[in-house]
Amino acid sequence: MTPKDFFEFAKSNGAEMVDLKFCDLLGTWQHCTYPLDILDEGTFEEGLGFDGSSIRGWQPINHSDMLAIPDPSTAVMDPFFAEKTLSVLADIVDPITRERYSRDPRYVAYKGAQYLKSTGIADTCFIGPEPEFFIFDEVRFDQRQNSGFYAIDSTEGAWNTNRIEEPNLGYKPSYKGGYFPVSPTDTLYDLRGEMVRELKKVGIMIEAHHHEVATGGQSEIDMQFAELTKMADQFMWYKYIIKNVAFKAGKTVTFMPKPIFEDNGSGMHTHFSLWKDGKPLFVGDGYAGMSQMALHAIGGVLRHAPAILAFAAPTSNSYRRLVPGYEAPVNLVMSSRNRSAAVRIPMYSESPKAKRFEFRCPDPTANGYLAWTAMLLAALDGIQNRIDPGQPLDKNIYALSAAELAKIPHVPGSLEESLNALQTDHKFLLAGGVFTDDLIETWIDYKRENEVGPLKLRPHPFEFFLYYDN
């Protein structure tokens, strides 16, 4: 879509307002809305100014002026404004140098796609994520000097089988019992269906939706695989639409990986493949029908996984999920069909187009632009340096003895450990200038100063149970 097409599209849809959206460093959309009649075709070259110092992890106050350049190819009608509004994504540019901004996550993904082509290895990276999320009826939380708590509730919560509901009919998924139940136990079918309809309106292809394993409204809606940058754009729309559809229905959605104690958390298993000239490159006669290229790509992802997780499992809550016993992939091995491995090779189809691997460690708090680009660069490093993925482990990993488990590398145990891994292992991310030292240092510093450090200072509610009367 050209700028001219943009204005024709707006006119044909009766839009009088334009909502400009861009992604901050941590993966949250920011937006500003403009009357359509103050924009012209020059806007798509000149951009629109904003205060970059007010965006997390971006500019200092003495260099705050930034430009957002609308990308007309991303224009769609926004589903949630009362007044007809055209929504468009933006790229960020320095107003002095006119160069694209190194900390703009969308630019990182763009550079990753360009670097892939420059290697000659492949020309397209396809990403197929499976984001999971919880739909709650209520959430309350607070943190003060003298108190700290959270409380969530769901009509589906197994903890509510004894609640007076006038009447309580008892159809509530049990802990770890929420996978694929039909109604009336699955009460969220229609709401997920509405989410799917809105996602399709903005051009996102959906493969399936269903209830997930946990009680309390855990759900999953799967998007059809797409090129990396396009999928990262779609993931932003995905979160926006799902949250807003739930809000309109009087419910609330969280992508936190582990909001419920002693039940499964929400992951974002990510399917990954490389193609060239329209042909898949991962099919072969190696383990699980994979090509040698694919196995080396897996080797790169496994070797660099602790550093990748600083972007792909980027919150302290992520590591409440990455623990044994809740279907979480805590062991850095590959396997076919085995969902307890960090890298799984799906065996549903023999079609060459379906041949891919699935990295199971990421979760939906990730910034897709950064997490999937980091995954791509790790895979390319594996291919270029012929990194051996090690022997597959097709046993039930959770049933192994302590001695056997001790020989298997594990995911980091905390956000702090992942950040330390990123600090010591990030050379692979600098290939082709895709990531920059500046972005990596900013990410690490921000996470340490705003998340890791403050969390260490606060007493945990469970500590009162453990220690108050000591």
Side-chain angles (χ1 to χ4, degrees):
M1 184 183 292
T2 65
K4 182 179 179 181
D5 295 332
F6 177 89
F7 288 103
E8 291 177 353
F9 181 70
K11 183 178 180 181
S12 67
N13 283 278
E16 296 184 2
M17 305 294 288
V18 175
D19 196 58
L20 187 79
K21 295 179 172 72
F22 60 87
C23 181
D24 72 9
L25 185 62
L26 299 187
T28 301
W29 255 352
Q30 312 295 319
H31 83 126
C32 187
T33 310
Y34 306 86
L36 180 66
D37 56 15
I38 74 157
L39 309 182
D40 57 31
E41 292 187 27
T43 305
F44 294 86
E45 293 185 4
E46 298 165 7
L48 296 158
F50 69 96
D51 175 9
S53 69
S54 295
I55 306 300
R56 297 178 301 176
W58 278 13
Q59 292 295 89
I61 196 166
N62 57 317
H63 294 285
S64 60
D65 288 359
M66 300 293 287
L67 288 173
I69 309 292
D71 178 353
S73 69
T74 66
V76 294
M77 294 301 294
D78 194 292
F80 300 109
F81 287 81
E83 186 174 0
K84 290 184 178 180
T85 300
L86 189 59
S87 194
V88 63
L89 307 188
D91 298 312
I92 308 305
V93 168
D94 185 289
I96 305 301
T97 66
R98 302 295 300 186
E99 294 179 352
R100 291 187 65 175
Y101 186 44
S102 65
R103 298 186 202 173
D104 176 7
R106 195 165 190 257
Y107 183 40
V108 174
Y110 169 82
K111 287 188 291 181
Q114 296 304 306
Y115 174 65
L116 171 64
K117 294 175 183 178
S118 75
T119 66
I121 292 171
D123 54 33
T124 307
C125 173
F126 282 117
I127 297 293
E130 300 177 6
E132 298 167 342
F133 52 93
F134 282 88
I135 303 172
F136 293 136
D137 292 290
E138 184 178 32
V139 59
R140 293 179 293 120
F141 52 89
D142 195 13
Q143 180 68 62
R144 305 185 188 191
Q145 284 77 6
N146 69 320
S147 66
F149 83 99
Y150 71 89
I152 55 176
D153 207 0
S154 165
T155 57
E156 284 196 357
W159 56 85
N160 279 326
T161 53
N162 68 347
R163 185 170 69 174
I164 297 173
E165 294 182 351
E166 298 181 350
N168 188 327
L169 301 178
Y171 293 109
K172 303 181 189 302
S174 63
Y175 297 106
K176 297 190 179 184
Y179 191 66
F180 279 22
V182 298
S183 58
T185 303
D186 179 5
T187 66
L188 298 168
Y189 173 86
D190 288 332
L191 184 60
R192 292 195 308 271
E194 178 65 19
M195 293 170 179
V196 168
R197 286 189 288 275
E198 294 298 340
L199 287 163
K200 290 176 69 175
K201 285 180 184 178
V202 299
I204 298 175
M205 297 296 294
I206 300 299
E207 291 187 336
H209 75 80
H210 58 85
H211 205 288
E212 254 301 337
V213 173
T215 191
Q218 192 183 34
S219 297
E220 178 175 319
I221 299 175
D222 296 330
M223 294 177 279
Q224 188 178 75
F225 69 90
E227 184 275 330
L228 188 155
T229 306
K230 180 180 179 181
M231 179 54 74
D233 287 345
Q234 290 185 172
F235 185 44
M236 301 304 297
W237 273 109
Y238 181 98
K239 285 187 170 183
Y240 176 72
I241 286 172
I242 285 173
K243 288 180 179 179
N244 276 282
V245 169
F247 180 74
K248 286 175 66 177
K251 295 183 182 289
T252 179
V253 161
T254 183
F255 290 93
M256 278 180 65
K258 192 75 168 185
I260 298 179
F261 174 52
E262 290 190 329
D263 207 348
N264 281 34
S266 293
M268 186 172 67
H269 309 146
T270 297
H271 296 256
F272 179 98
S273 64
L274 296 178
W275 291 48
K276 188 174 184 179
D277 299 326
K279 297 179 180 179
L281 301 178
F282 277 7
V283 64
D285 56 6
Y287 173 74
M290 299 291 271
S291 66
Q292 194 61 55
M293 176 190 289
L295 294 174
H296 287 148
I298 292 172
V301 169
L302 289 174
R303 174 174 292 184
H304 297 297
I308 297 171
L309 291 182
F311 295 111
T315 68
S316 62
N317 190 252
S318 300
Y319 299 87
R320 310 282 191 244
R321 166 185 170 254
L322 291 175
V323 295
Y326 298 90
E327 299 187 24
V330 296
N331 299 289
L332 295 175
V333 293
M334 71 170 179
S335 178
S336 66
R337 303 180 69 182
N338 190 340
R339 293 168 190 266
S340 60
V343 171
R344 183 178 76 94
I345 301 167
M347 303 300 289
Y348 297 126
S349 172
E350 294 183 359
S351 168
K353 293 182 178 180
K355 189 56 67 175
R356 77 272 191 195
F357 68 81
E358 175 192 34
F359 187 38
R360 294 177 63 80
C361 299
D363 69 57
T365 56
N367 181 333
Y369 296 108
L370 301 181
W372 296 329
T373 304
M375 188 175 168
L376 168 62
L377 292 171
L380 290 176
D381 186 60
I383 294 167
Q384 292 164 331
N385 292 291
R386 303 182 65 82
I387 297 176
D388 184 355
Q391 291 299 308
L393 188 59
D394 292 327
K395 300 178 181 178
N396 182 347
I397 295 174
Y398 300 130
L400 296 180
S401 68
E404 290 174 305
L405 282 172
K407 299 176 183 178
I408 300 173
H410 296 77
V411 297
S414 67
L415 175 58
E416 185 173 27
E417 289 183 27
S418 288
L419 294 171
N420 292 343
L422 177 61
Q423 188 165 41
T424 58
D425 176 29
H426 62 260
K427 184 178 179 181
F428 73 99
L429 295 173
L430 303 177
V434 177
F435 281 77
T436 62
D437 282 315
D438 170 67
L439 185 150
I440 294 168
E441 290 169 6
T442 300
W443 182 271
I444 293 171
D445 290 345
Y446 185 94
K447 288 285 179 176
R448 285 175 174 167
E449 292 173 10
N450 294 279
E451 298 177 33
V452 174
L455 195 60
K456 286 181 177 180
L457 295 175
R458 286 162 170 77
H460 190 285
F462 190 56
E463 290 176 323
F464 283 80
F465 285 92
L466 293 174
Y467 310 127
Y468 185 78
D469 197 32
N470 279 12

